[in-house]
PDB file of all heavy atoms in Angstrom:
ATOM      1  N   LEU U  31     -31.846  -0.575 -32.755  1.00 97.00           N
ATOM      2  CA  LEU U  31     -31.615  -1.032 -34.121  1.00 97.00           C
ATOM      3  C   LEU U  31     -32.376  -2.324 -34.390  1.00 97.00           C
ATOM      4  O   LEU U  31     -32.300  -3.272 -33.611  1.00 97.00           O
ATOM      5  CB  LEU U  31     -30.120  -1.232 -34.376  1.00 97.00           C
ATOM      6  CG  LEU U  31     -29.304   0.050 -34.536  1.00 97.00           C
ATOM      7  CD1 LEU U  31     -27.813  -0.251 -34.506  1.00 97.00           C
ATOM      8  CD2 LEU U  31     -29.688   0.758 -35.830  1.00 97.00           C
ATOM      9  N   GLN U  32     -33.088  -2.342 -35.496  1.00 96.00           N
ATOM     10  CA  GLN U  32     -33.917  -3.494 -35.863  1.00 96.00           C
ATOM     11  C   GLN U  32     -33.335  -4.309 -37.015  1.00 96.00           C
ATOM     12  O   GLN U  32     -33.880  -5.352 -37.361  1.00 96.00           O
ATOM     13  CB  GLN U  32     -35.334  -3.019 -36.225  1.00 96.00           C
ATOM     14  CG  GLN U  32     -36.050  -2.311 -35.100  1.00 96.00           C
ATOM     15  CD  GLN U  32     -36.310  -3.229 -33.925  1.00 96.00           C
ATOM     16  OE1 GLN U  32     -36.839  -4.327 -34.075  1.00 96.00           O
ATOM     17  NE2 GLN U  32     -35.898  -2.811 -32.733  1.00 96.00           N
ATOM     18  N   GLN U  33     -32.262  -3.813 -37.626  1.00 96.00           N
ATOM     19  CA  GLN U  33     -31.587  -4.492 -38.736  1.00 96.00           C
ATOM     20  C   GLN U  33     -30.138  -4.719 -38.352  1.00 96.00           C
ATOM     21  O   GLN U  33     -29.585  -3.982 -37.542  1.00 96.00           O
ATOM     22  CB  GLN U  33     -31.660  -3.629 -40.005  1.00 96.00           C
ATOM     23  CG  GLN U  33     -33.063  -3.340 -40.503  1.00 96.00           C
ATOM     24  CD  GLN U  33     -33.753  -4.585 -41.019  1.00 96.00           C
ATOM     25  OE1 GLN U  33     -33.129  -5.449 -41.626  1.00 96.00           O
ATOM     26  NE2 GLN U  33     -35.044  -4.691 -40.762  1.00 96.00           N
ATOM     27  N   PRO U  34     -29.485  -5.717 -38.961  1.00 97.00           N
ATOM     28  CA  PRO U  34     -28.067  -5.925 -38.661  1.00 97.00           C
ATOM     29  C   PRO U  34     -27.253  -4.653 -38.855  1.00 97.00           C
ATOM     30  O   PRO U  34     -27.483  -3.887 -39.794  1.00 97.00           O
ATOM     31  CB  PRO U  34     -27.649  -6.998 -39.672  1.00 97.00           C
ATOM     32  CG  PRO U  34     -28.905  -7.753 -39.937  1.00 97.00           C
ATOM     33  CD  PRO U  34     -29.998  -6.708 -39.917  1.00 97.00           C
ATOM     34  N   ALA U  35     -26.337  -4.410 -37.946  1.00 98.00           N
ATOM     35  CA  ALA U  35     -25.493  -3.217 -37.989  1.00 98.00           C
ATOM     36  C   ALA U  35     -24.267  -3.444 -37.135  1.00 98.00           C
ATOM     37  O   ALA U  35     -24.283  -4.248 -36.202  1.00 98.00           O
ATOM     38  CB  ALA U  35     -26.260  -1.990 -37.489  1.00 98.00           C
ATOM     39  N   ARG U  36     -23.211  -2.721 -37.465  1.00 98.00           N
ATOM     40  CA  ARG U  36     -22.007  -2.676 -36.634  1.00 98.00           C
ATOM     41  C   ARG U  36     -21.978  -1.306 -35.973  1.00 98.00           C
ATOM     42  O   ARG U  36     -21.961  -0.283 -36.656  1.00 98.00           O
ATOM     43  CB  ARG U  36     -20.753  -2.862 -37.485  1.00 98.00           C
ATOM     44  CG  ARG U  36     -20.568  -4.252 -38.016  1.00 98.00           C
ATOM     45  CD  ARG U  36     -19.398  -4.347 -38.990  1.00 98.00           C
ATOM     46  NE  ARG U  36     -18.133  -3.890 -38.414  1.00 98.00           N
ATOM     47  CZ  ARG U  36     -17.167  -3.331 -39.137  1.00 98.00           C
ATOM     48  NH1 ARG U  36     -17.301  -3.146 -40.434  1.00 98.00           N
ATOM     49  NH2 ARG U  36     -16.046  -2.954 -38.559  1.00 98.00           N
ATOM     50  N   VAL U  37     -21.990  -1.285 -34.661  1.00 98.00           N
ATOM     51  CA  VAL U  37     -21.866  -0.058 -33.891  1.00 98.00           C
ATOM     52  C   VAL U  37     -20.437  -0.069 -33.350  1.00 98.00           C
ATOM     53  O   VAL U  37     -20.071  -0.958 -32.580  1.00 98.00           O
ATOM     54  CB  VAL U  37     -22.895  -0.003 -32.740  1.00 98.00           C
ATOM     55  CG1 VAL U  37     -22.679   1.233 -31.888  1.00 98.00           C
ATOM     56  CG2 VAL U  37     -24.315  -0.060 -33.295  1.00 98.00           C
ATOM     57  N   ILE U  38     -19.644   0.899 -33.788  1.00 98.00           N
ATOM     58  CA  ILE U  38     -18.237   0.919 -33.416  1.00 98.00           C
ATOM     59  C   ILE U  38     -17.984   2.111 -32.501  1.00 98.00           C
ATOM     60  O   ILE U  38     -18.164   3.253 -32.891  1.00 98.00           O
ATOM     61  CB  ILE U  38     -17.340   0.987 -34.666  1.00 98.00           C
ATOM     62  CG1 ILE U  38     -17.670  -0.198 -35.585  1.00 98.00           C
ATOM     63  CG2 ILE U  38     -15.867   0.984 -34.271  1.00 98.00           C
ATOM     64  CD1 ILE U  38     -17.012  -0.137 -36.943  1.00 98.00           C
ATOM     65  N   LEU U  39     -17.589   1.809 -31.270  1.00 96.00           N
ATOM     66  CA  LEU U  39     -17.337   2.823 -30.240  1.00 96.00           C
ATOM     67  C   LEU U  39     -15.832   3.082 -30.193  1.00 96.00           C
ATOM     68  O   LEU U  39     -15.047   2.181 -29.904  1.00 96.00           O
ATOM     69  CB  LEU U  39     -17.857   2.324 -28.894  1.00 96.00           C
ATOM     70  CG  LEU U  39     -17.830   3.265 -27.708  1.00 96.00           C
ATOM     71  CD1 LEU U  39     -18.623   4.537 -27.974  1.00 96.00           C
ATOM     72  CD2 LEU U  39     -18.382   2.556 -26.476  1.00 96.00           C
ATOM     73  N   LEU U  40     -15.450   4.310 -30.526  1.00 95.00           N
ATOM     74  CA  LEU U  40     -14.037   4.686 -30.631  1.00 95.00           C
ATOM     75  C   LEU U  40     -13.649   5.636 -29.511  1.00 95.00           C
ATOM     76  O   LEU U  40     -14.312   6.653 -29.301  1.00 95.00           O
ATOM     77  CB  LEU U  40     -13.788   5.381 -31.971  1.00 95.00           C
ATOM     78  CG  LEU U  40     -14.081   4.542 -33.209  1.00 95.00           C
ATOM     79  CD1 LEU U  40     -14.424   5.432 -34.385  1.00 95.00           C
ATOM     80  CD2 LEU U  40     -12.881   3.674 -33.521  1.00 95.00           C
ATOM     81  N   GLY U  41     -12.583   5.298 -28.801  1.00 90.00           N
ATOM     82  CA  GLY U  41     -12.123   6.177 -27.740  1.00 90.00           C
ATOM     83  C   GLY U  41     -10.795   5.720 -27.195  1.00 90.00           C
ATOM     84  O   GLY U  41     -10.373   4.592 -27.428  1.00 90.00           O
ATOM     85  N   SER U  42     -10.159   6.582 -26.453  1.00 76.00           N
ATOM     86  CA  SER U  42      -8.838   6.258 -25.916  1.00 76.00           C
ATOM     87  C   SER U  42      -8.896   5.727 -24.490  1.00 76.00           C
ATOM     88  O   SER U  42      -7.904   5.241 -23.985  1.00 76.00           O
ATOM     89  CB  SER U  42      -7.931   7.485 -25.976  1.00 76.00           C
ATOM     90  OG  SER U  42      -8.482   8.525 -25.208  1.00 76.00           O
ATOM     91  N   ALA U  43     -10.033   5.820 -23.859  1.00 63.00           N
ATOM     92  CA  ALA U  43     -10.140   5.392 -22.465  1.00 63.00           C
ATOM     93  C   ALA U  43     -10.018   3.872 -22.350  1.00 63.00           C
ATOM     94  O   ALA U  43     -10.576   3.134 -23.156  1.00 63.00           O
ATOM     95  CB  ALA U  43     -11.474   5.852 -21.886  1.00 63.00           C
TER      96      ALA U  43
END
Side-chain angles (χ1 to χ4, degrees):
L31 286 169
Q32 300 295 309
Q33 299 292 323
R36 289 173 56 211
V37 176
I38 304 171
L39 186 58
L40 299 154
S42 60

